[in-house]
């Protein structure tokens, strides 16, 4: 499931994020954190993780995503990798087709995270750069994604994906992974559909014996499938 989550960051938070990610920020070669296949494809810059800039930005992004009910319903997160930050511009401007590692080591807190779901939070205004589409291959073919600043896309960690060359301006984003309480993509999808339709039914009809019973079904399925 590929899902667009809107307004994860508000304009004030975006401004804070951008001011922490300017030229004075400790940008390093993005290849330092890539696995051996991805290293051959990766040509971008990444924010040094042990910096004060990164610490403040991680807090900002984690606080924002954890407040978003749609994110919670779709991802059912058990562990969240510490958000990372990258920049595509100038001669370091692309990331060719690759798959993310299945199990990745997060530094804050120190933990291994299985990459069930990949997340990209767009921080640059799309009018400020050309190119830089995130292209995700799924069973329906290729999906091209270039979102307004503050919006996020989540997609299965199993997907081959790439970032097209940025030919003008700079594309700055946050990216990270989720280990879900529900490992199966199909099970997560069923739970998300049930949750969204229950929400719509409740808005239309209020609470009824049927919505109560179906909420029970949702939780019984979650109990069946979730690991905590
Ligand atoms: Ni990737």
């Amino acid at each position: 499931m590929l899902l667009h989550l809107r307004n994860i960051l508000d304009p004030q938070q975006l401004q804070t994020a951008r001011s922490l990610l300017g030229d004075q920020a400790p940008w390093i070669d993005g290849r330092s954190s890539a696995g051996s296949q991805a290293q051959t494809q990766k040509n971008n810059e990444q924010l040094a993780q042990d910096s004060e800039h990164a610490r403040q930005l991680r807090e900002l992004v984690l606080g924002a995503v954890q407040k978003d009910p749609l994110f919670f319903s779709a991802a059912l997160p058990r562990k969240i990798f510490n958000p990372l930050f990258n920049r595509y511009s100038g001669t370091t401007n692309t990331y060719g087709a690759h798959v993310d590692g299945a199990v990745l080591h997060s530094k804050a807190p120190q933990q291994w995270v299985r990459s069930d779901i990949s997340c990209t939070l767009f921080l640059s205004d799309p009018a400020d750069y050309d190119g830089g589409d995130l292209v995700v291959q799924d069973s329906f073919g290729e999906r091209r994604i270039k979102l307004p600043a503050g919006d996020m896309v989540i997609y299965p960690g199993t997907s081959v994906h790439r970032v097209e060359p940025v030919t003008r301006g700079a594309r700055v984003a946050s990216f990270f992974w989720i280990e879900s309480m529900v490992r199966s993509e199909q099970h997560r999808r069923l739970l998300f559909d049930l949750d969204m339709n229950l929400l719509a039914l409740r808005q239309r009809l209020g609470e009824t014996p049927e919505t109560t019973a179906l909420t029970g079904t949702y939780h019984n399925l979650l109990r069946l499938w979730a690991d905590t």
Side-chain angles (χ1 to χ4, degrees):
M1 179 170 64
L2 191 148
L3 189 69
H4 175 178
L5 302 169
R6 289 165 214 279
N7 302 315
I8 293 287
L9 297 185
D10 64 30
Q12 178 89 52
Q13 289 170 316
L14 266 178
Q15 204 181 338
T16 305
R18 284 177 186 153
S19 69
L20 287 164
L21 288 163
D23 283 332
Q24 83 294 349
W27 292 106
I28 58 173
D29 186 341
R31 273 176 294 223
S32 55
S33 67
S36 52
Q37 187 274 333
Q39 245 177 34
T40 64
Q41 301 296 314
K42 194 172 185 183
N43 178 29
N44 66 2
E45 293 173 295
Q46 203 160 303
L47 190 69
Q49 284 196 61
D50 50 6
S51 61
E52 178 57 22
H53 286 71
R55 194 193 60 73
Q56 286 183 41
L57 283 157
R58 279 199 294 270
E59 248 173 53
L60 180 78
V61 171
L62 280 176
V65 293
Q66 282 170 330
K67 270 193 224 142
D68 190 80
L70 210 52
F71 169 78
F72 186 84
S73 178
L76 297 166
R78 175 161 70 172
K79 295 183 193 169
I80 304 182
F81 194 97
N82 60 242
L84 300 173
F85 298 85
N86 58 18
R87 178 165 75 172
Y88 295 83
S89 65
T91 54
T92 48
N93 61 17
T94 190
Y95 196 164
H98 67 282
V99 284
D100 298 335
V103 183
L104 300 156
H105 191 257
S106 174
K107 287 192 175 170
Q110 295 266 353
Q111 59 179 352
W112 289 95
V113 177
R114 191 182 61 233
S115 57
D116 297 326
I117 298 166
S118 297
C119 309
T120 298
L121 171 61
F122 289 75
L123 299 173
S124 299
D125 185 333
D128 290 343
Y129 63 97
D130 290 334
D133 297 38
L134 170 66
V135 183
V136 178
Q137 291 173 21
D138 70 12
S139 49
F140 298 102
E142 286 195 348
R143 301 276 296 265
R144 307 183 76 84
I145 301 141
K146 186 170 180 174
L147 300 182
D151 286 13
M152 184 163 93
V153 62
I154 66 175
Y155 58 98
T158 48
S159 322
V160 173
H161 57 279
R162 66 178 189 272
V163 176
E164 302 232 298
V166 169
T167 54
R168 177 186 64 88
R171 173 199 191 271
V172 179
S174 176
F175 65 104
F176 51 97
W177 299 273
I178 309 291
E179 178 174 322
S180 179
M181 288 188 281
V182 175
R183 184 173 190 156
S184 156
E185 158 75 9
Q186 280 179 310
H187 291 172
R188 281 198 304 277
R189 175 83 212 211
L190 286 168
L191 288 167
F192 183 67
D193 286 346
L194 184 52
D195 195 23
M196 290 302 103
N197 282 296
L198 262 170
L199 196 69
L201 267 183
R202 217 176 249 118
Q203 273 165 3
R204 185 134 56 98
L205 305 172
E207 190 67 28
T208 65
E210 291 79 11
T211 54
T212 305
L214 285 171
T215 302
T217 304
Y218 173 86
H219 283 286
N220 289 335
L221 287 172
L222 184 56
R223 191 174 290 112
L224 197 62
W225 292 334
D227 289 305
T228 57

